[in-house]
Amino acid sequence: MKRPANSFSCVLVTARFFDDKAASILRTAGLTVVTGGVAHDAVDAVITEDMHDALSRCSAWIMGMPPVTADLLARYPNLSVMARRGVGYDTIDVAAVQAHRRLLTITPGSNEATVADHAVGLMLAVGRRYFESHRRMQAGEHGVLVGTELSGKTVGLIGLGRIARLVARRLAGFDVRVIAHDPYLPDDVADLEGVQLASLETVLADSDFISLHAPLTDSTRHLIDQDALARMKPNAILINTARGELVDDGALLAALQRGRLGGAGLDVIGSERDASLEAITRELLTLPNVICTQHTGGSSREGLERANMRAAQCVVAALQGQPLPPDAIVVDGRSP
């Protein structure tokens, strides 16, 4: 096996829960794995001084969701490869990656099933009021809470990418009607069995459960705002396992406080990246019909192991000049 030159012998790993099997792939290729003494990045993504020190010594970086800016890339000219454990890259300046002639990879397919499971789980948990029931049992109250079935309902999917399609497949066993809106739907998905394509207005108006699976772009930021919430059914339940910024959390809080919605299951929230929204998050957490998880939708042991393995394989292949899986490359600025 061709081994990297000394200048390419160090890989910084800041993705949480990076396992020994993935690390062994890097070490077998002759790479030094730097994790000790380095703070793991977080979704609010402050790059600490120990991370800066490590970046100055490393040529590859396996990351979660830190901010990657033009200034950072200019500061570390030897950082040639960045492997994101995940599929989103909205914290990364992709144009700067291209301009600075670096390689950025992602890990599609690794945790899609995990996120789909989580989305359906949130539908059940909010609808059947699991959290409220648990807290009442803790308090010694044994009165029965009446919830809402998922069975027989209309579920609206906003975005119909790979995760949403897996959600639709899982919902097939619940005897639901699935409708979906995605203006960028590929032709090979247009006839997805069991899913009826619809306008955004129809999805908002007809759905008992709405699950968000859209990417974060300028056009989707606050897609679910005060107006969208007003068009939803009065008892509808909103599920978000995509990006927190798709929802105007202030408008969602107001709608829930007025009893305008049946509830919300949120794996992502706006305050992950905007500290000014923390007060709204605290208020959301006090509501009995809201269940929040800590952006853990893709964090099963199995999903993380797959993503770690894929990221490590991408780094080794890139540093050794070997082909990468086509769907793993977001941008390759190394070519002329």
Side-chain angles (χ1 to χ4, degrees):
M1 176 183 292
K2 179 181 177 182
R3 293 185 179 273
N6 289 336
S7 60
F8 295 109
S9 61
C10 178
V11 179
L12 172 63
V13 177
T14 57
R16 294 178 183 271
F17 312 114
F18 196 76
D19 59 281
D20 291 339
K21 288 182 180 179
S24 68
I25 290 178
L26 300 172
R27 296 189 179 101
T28 299
L31 297 164
T32 299
V33 180
V34 177
T35 57
V38 177
H40 291 296
D41 58 43
V43 288
D44 60 2
V46 174
I47 297 182
T48 60
E49 283 306 312
D50 51 5
M51 288 172 65
H52 279 300
D53 177 67
L55 285 169
S56 68
R57 298 182 283 114
C58 291
S59 58
W61 184 9
I62 296 177
M63 64 179 72
M65 292 186 69
V68 176
T69 64
D71 289 344
L72 183 141
L73 295 173
R75 181 174 178 178
Y76 304 112
N78 290 327
L79 182 64
S80 61
V81 177
M82 290 164 289
R84 211 202 130 234
R85 191 189 63 189
V87 294
Y89 48 92
D90 36 276
T91 61
I92 298 173
D93 186 337
V94 174
V97 173
Q98 182 77 44
H100 285 272
R101 301 174 65 84
R102 313 298 170 83
L103 175 73
L104 170 67
T105 71
I106 59 175
T107 56
S110 56
N111 62 6
E112 292 163 2
T114 309
V115 178
D117 289 352
H118 199 72
V120 176
L122 286 172
M123 293 178 197
L124 293 168
V126 178
R128 295 302 303 273
R129 304 172 72 176
Y130 290 163
F131 183 51
E132 293 177 79
S133 295
H134 178 75
R135 290 203 300 188
R136 287 196 177 196
M137 287 292 290
Q138 285 180 317
E141 301 176 22
H142 297 279
V144 175
L145 291 175
V146 178
T148 298
E149 290 182 353
L150 177 55
S151 176
K153 298 301 191 297
T154 295
V155 178
L157 306 176
I158 297 181
L160 196 55
R162 286 175 294 199
I163 293 173
R165 283 172 252 164
L166 290 175
V167 170
R169 186 181 303 171
R170 282 152 175 74
L171 289 172
F174 285 90
D175 191 27
V176 299
R177 173 189 177 219
V178 180
I179 59 177
H181 173 72
D182 190 331
Y184 306 106
L185 192 65
D187 291 339
D188 62 345
V189 187
D191 296 323
L192 187 66
E193 183 177 358
V195 178
Q196 175 188 344
L197 299 182
S199 66
L200 178 60
E201 289 73 20
T202 298
V203 170
L204 291 172
D206 290 3
S207 300
D208 300 292
F209 294 80
I210 292 179
S211 189
L212 303 181
H213 301 282
L216 177 63
T217 66
D218 290 340
S219 63
T220 62
R221 188 179 300 275
H222 286 186
L223 178 68
I224 305 300
D225 57 8
Q226 181 178 356
D227 179 62
L229 291 163
R231 286 182 280 162
M232 292 168 59
K233 286 184 175 182
N235 292 318
I237 291 172
L238 179 68
I239 305 297
N240 188 7
T241 56
R243 288 290 182 265
E245 295 91 334
L246 297 177
V247 178
D248 180 340
D249 283 355
L252 175 62
L253 174 63
L256 289 164
Q257 289 175 329
R258 295 196 310 269
R260 180 64 186 73
L261 295 181
L266 309 173
D267 187 48
V268 286
I269 49 178
S271 61
E272 287 183 90
R273 300 183 200 170
D274 186 349
S276 69
L277 299 175
E278 288 179 358
I280 293 175
T281 297
R282 288 195 295 271
E283 287 294 317
L284 284 169
L285 289 169
T286 68
L287 301 180
N289 56 344
V290 173
I291 294 179
C292 291
T293 52
Q294 309 98 321
H295 204 151
T296 59
S299 296
S300 67
R301 286 189 295 271
E302 298 86 350
L304 288 171
E305 286 175 359
R306 289 190 295 266
N308 290 338
M309 191 73 67
R310 188 72 174 273
Q313 291 167 342
C314 285
V315 164
V316 171
L319 293 182
Q320 294 184 345
Q322 299 174 355
L324 283 82
D327 63 349
I329 301 176
V330 173
V331 59
D332 189 351
R334 303 171 302 173
S335 302

